[in-house]
Amino acid sequence: MKETWIVELNEDNFKSSIEKAGALLKAGKTVAFPTETVYGLGANALDEKAILGIYEAKGRPSDNPLIVHISSLEMLAPLIERKQPYVEKLIRAFWPGPIAMIFEKAPGVPLKTTGGLNTVAIRMPSHPVALALIDAAGVPIAAPSANISGKPSPTVGKYVVCDMNGRVDGILDGGEVAVGLESTVIDVTGDFPVILRPGKITKAQIIEVVGACEVDPALEEKDGSLEVVARAPGMKYRHYAPDAKVSVYYGDYTQVLIELEALILERVKAKRKVAVLLFEEDYAFLSKLLAPQLTEKDCEYVAYFLQGSIKQLETFAKNLFRNLREADEGACEEILIRGVSEEGIGKAIMNRLEKASEGRIFKI
Ligand code: TXA
Ligand code: MG
């Protein structure tokens, strides 16, 4: 067990806390901190021993490469071999921000950081705490999401403390993050960018900037098979997953609600506590459908988590991981989720739901 220094940042302690955290990182220690996407678990990206501390704290397979975070463009050149001409446009459009780019790595970047690959993922986050911290450390900071491997990424300080207290040297609590899903990851080693992980920044936005962008065929394939009613479970890693069993229902707006109504009734009558993640509009409709069928006692077996309006998928993204964890805290056995359309950030939401549900995504 490590002694973990934990601080809730405020105006008064900001400067001294950043200085202290920066010094820890410089000394090869691990510090968790907020970024605009999710909380990261940072260590000096150029220090192999420090990097081992990350894998240990997370219980992460060491062949899973880390994203290296920088706070200025001067930090980029020493980390990479070359840069395709179109990358300048991407940097101007999206950095600092929620997109990581994969380059061929410079020899100085340890293979421990890149999971043995000859490429390195780099991101300049926009969160003021992340930028100030990297500046204070004076070195590039490798940072995966600050969760135990397999759990949902933390979007509030409380869940970083839950997972990482006693495992890391420091935790900076900077409140709730803005995006709530991890960055878009793109490979920029080729003639055009290729999306490996969908995020807030979409294919359409990238095409607008550089004229071309593809999605990794592995992702497309999975999306194609979304049309199949029952998805093959048991994908390579369980990811973003709470303890409760997750199932996702998407398709015709009203039919999904009718399906949820039946599922909730069945669970509640069997006295099995169920969490339901849904839009505000769904809740208004569903609670009317269910009201005459449930007793006050029955209602204790269902917990609703509102994901914002159907017109605002950004709120769905922001609340998703936190609500998955809160459903677990409420000792729900099962989590039923209304799936979303794959427009905009919806693609990233469905990608995370696919992993969290281990493929239990049902088209209604
Ligand atoms: O938003 C984010 O990116 C957050 C915050 C903390 O910045 N970080 C994050 O890191 O999500 P992590 O480790 O949870 O996810 C990194 C993803 C993994 O899917 C990893 O396989 C991929 O990026 N990745 C990193 N380097 C790569 C490389 N060289 N080639 C292919 N994939 C890479
Ligand atoms: Mg992660």
Side-chain angles (χ1 to χ4, degrees):
M1 273 279 276
K2 286 189 176 201
E3 174 101 18
T4 304
W5 164 65
I6 301 173
V7 60
E8 275 180 44
L9 293 171
N10 59 40
E11 250 173 64
D12 295 334
N13 66 21
F14 188 91
K15 200 163 167 277
S16 62
S17 302
I18 294 287
E19 271 167 23
K20 177 167 173 182
L24 284 173
L25 288 171
K26 212 184 295 181
K29 308 285 188 192
T30 47
V31 177
F33 61 95
T35 83
E36 72 278 23
T37 56
V38 300
Y39 274 76
L41 168 51
N44 180 353
L46 304 178
D47 177 345
E48 288 199 0
K49 250 184 86 200
I51 295 301
L52 283 178
I54 291 182
Y55 286 109
E56 249 176 58
K58 277 186 67 93
R60 176 176 174 122
S62 62
D63 63 347
N64 198 351
L66 305 174
I67 295 175
V68 176
H69 296 68
I70 58 176
S71 57
S72 69
L73 283 179
E74 290 84 77
M75 293 174 93
L76 179 62
L79 297 170
I80 65 175
E81 277 294 300
R82 62 184 66 78
K83 197 163 61 186
Q84 297 281 359
Y86 65 79
V87 169
E88 289 298 340
K89 290 187 192 163
L90 291 173
I91 289 176
R92 240 177 286 134
F94 300 126
W95 272 3
I99 189 164
M101 303 190 213
I102 296 174
F103 300 87
E104 285 151 71
K105 79 169 192 71
V109 179
L111 287 167
K112 289 260 179 318
T113 301
T114 65
L117 298 172
N118 286 320
T119 52
V120 59
I122 300 180
R123 176 162 107 81
M124 190 192 292
S126 64
H127 197 292
V129 171
L131 288 172
L133 178 64
I134 302 164
D135 264 349
V139 289
I141 298 298
S145 48
N147 51 283
I148 302 258
S149 205
K151 292 272 157 222
S153 303
T155 57
V156 289
K158 173 174 115 174
Y159 290 126
V160 181
V161 175
C162 271
D163 278 17
M164 291 299 156
N165 192 9
R167 292 171 170 259
V168 299
D169 298 295
I171 298 175
L172 298 179
D173 183 341
E176 186 170 18
V177 304
V179 178
L181 297 181
E182 306 82 354
S183 61
T184 307
V185 175
I186 60 174
D187 183 337
V188 296
T189 58
D191 292 336
F192 51 83
V194 178
I195 297 181
L196 304 187
R197 178 175 74 183
K200 182 173 194 297
I201 292 174
T202 61
K203 178 178 170 181
Q205 281 177 285
I206 295 169
I207 291 179
E208 208 170 288
V209 172
V210 296
C213 176
E214 293 293 332
V215 174
D216 180 41
L219 282 176
E220 291 287 36
E221 225 170 77
K222 281 188 223 144
D223 294 345
S225 61
L226 274 183
E227 296 309 312
V228 180
V229 174
R231 308 283 323 288
M235 281 181 302
K236 200 170 147 204
Y237 296 113
R238 187 158 198 236
H239 235 133
Y240 314 118
D243 297 330
K245 176 176 155 187
V246 176
S247 305
V248 180
Y249 301 86
Y250 78 108
D252 178 81
Y253 179 78
T254 314
Q255 290 304 317
V256 168
L257 287 177
I258 291 169
E259 178 74 17
L260 286 175
E261 177 200 10
L263 292 167
I264 293 167
L265 269 179
E266 193 188 305
R267 304 315 191 250
V268 162
K269 296 296 179 191
K271 303 206 180 313
R272 289 174 48 204
K273 189 160 182 196
V274 65
V276 189
L277 270 59
L278 72 188
F279 290 123
E280 285 161 6
E281 292 87 345
D282 296 335
Y283 178 68
F285 190 101
L286 199 59
S287 51
K288 260 199 218 113
L289 277 180
L290 282 167
Q293 308 175 71
L294 296 181
T295 65
E296 212 171 297
K297 188 87 193 131
D298 287 341
C299 291
E300 289 171 17
Y301 289 94
V302 54
Y304 294 103
F305 292 91
L306 300 188
Q307 294 291 118
S309 165
I310 194 164
K311 297 187 206 95
Q312 257 280 297
L313 282 188
E314 278 71 22
T315 310
F316 196 114
K318 182 171 160 152
N319 293 353
L320 177 61
F321 288 147
R322 199 190 61 207
N323 283 343
L324 288 177
R325 284 190 180 246
E326 285 187 3
D328 263 353
E329 282 193 340
C332 295
E333 281 179 45
E334 215 184 328
I335 304 176
L336 309 176
I337 306 182
R338 133 91 71 195
V340 303
S341 95
E342 296 216 4
E343 300 293 305
I345 199 168
K347 191 167 180 76
I349 293 172
M350 288 304 276
N351 169 270
R352 305 313 190 267
L353 288 181
E354 190 183 314
K355 300 238 165 72
S357 68
E358 295 175 283
R360 278 185 298 271
I361 298 197
F362 303 98
K363 181 164 190 205
I364 305 299

